[in-house]
Amino acid sequence: MFNALTLYFTDDEDWQPKICSITMPDGTAKDLNTWAPFLVGGEAYDDFQHYSIELRTLIARCMADRREDRPSLEELLQIVQLNITRGDAAADEERRKWEEEKAADPTKQRPPVDLKKAPDIEDDDLIQRFFREYLREPPTREDPYKDYWDT
């Protein structure tokens, strides 16, 4: 998960988990020995601040060095379901507000999406745009390795 979020990979044999102070979902503090120390705690990189602390803490917990510090599958499922419900409610409210604004001014356009940070709300339009632009109609790019292929 850390690699997917950060696109970070290392062959460094000295790369080890570090202890980070985190707040558990029940509000208690915990010193967690995790392989994702730069997502949480005092060493958290600024690049990750636009992701919610709940998500970063969950990933750090999933990457805990000790199995007993990791969330159970049941807890993961509950967290995912809760956040999907919250996200859907927030997206529905955002859509309702947009429809009101559009009804008041039919010429109004949505502001452009800032692709350099995670959106506050992933509504259906954004998910459909991602699917269309990256899966269904991906940009064509020249093969950077074309000179290396046998012809």
Side-chain angles (χ1 to χ4, degrees):
M1 278 194 268
F2 179 75
N3 290 16
L5 181 66
T6 65
L7 301 177
Y8 180 77
F9 176 78
T10 182
D11 287 329
D12 184 354
E13 293 177 9
D14 294 329
W15 193 57
Q16 296 293 322
K18 291 185 180 177
I19 294 178
C20 298
S21 296
I22 65 167
T23 302
M24 298 294 286
D26 64 3
T28 60
K30 180 173 182 70
D31 286 337
L32 180 73
N33 195 27
T34 179
W35 288 88
F38 302 113
L39 294 179
V40 294
E43 295 186 44
Y45 288 174
D46 289 341
D47 293 349
F48 307 131
Q49 298 299 325
H50 59 271
Y51 295 103
S52 73
I53 187 62
E54 293 84 6
L55 174 61
R56 292 184 285 129
T57 299
L58 179 63
I59 293 170
R61 289 179 59 215
C62 288
M63 296 187 64
D65 197 44
R66 294 174 355 129
R67 175 180 286 167
E68 55 271 17
D69 288 337
R70 298 177 198 144
S72 68
L73 289 177
E74 182 178 309
E75 182 182 356
L76 280 174
L77 181 60
Q78 289 172 349
I79 291 169
V80 168
Q81 288 174 331
L82 174 67
N83 283 285
I84 287 173
T85 301
R86 284 182 185 163
D88 286 350
D92 289 346
E93 179 61 17
E94 196 69 23
R95 179 178 291 281
R96 185 193 64 73
K97 287 179 185 177
W98 171 247
E99 288 172 357
E100 282 181 5
E101 290 176 24
K102 191 74 172 165
D105 180 3
T107 63
K108 187 168 184 159
Q109 298 292 316
R110 284 185 186 234
V113 176
D114 181 359
L115 301 176
K116 295 183 180 180
K117 70 177 192 93
D120 295 331
I121 296 173
E122 290 182 349
D123 62 10
D124 288 345
D125 292 337
L126 184 62
I127 294 170
Q128 288 172 0
R129 176 182 166 192
F130 176 84
F131 178 79
R132 182 181 64 251
E133 291 179 4
Y134 291 94
L135 301 175
R136 199 163 159 212
E137 301 165 7
T140 55
R141 296 187 178 115
E142 187 174 323
D143 181 358
Y145 303 104
K146 69 180 180 179
D147 295 335
Y148 298 103
W149 301 119
D150 292 332
T151 55

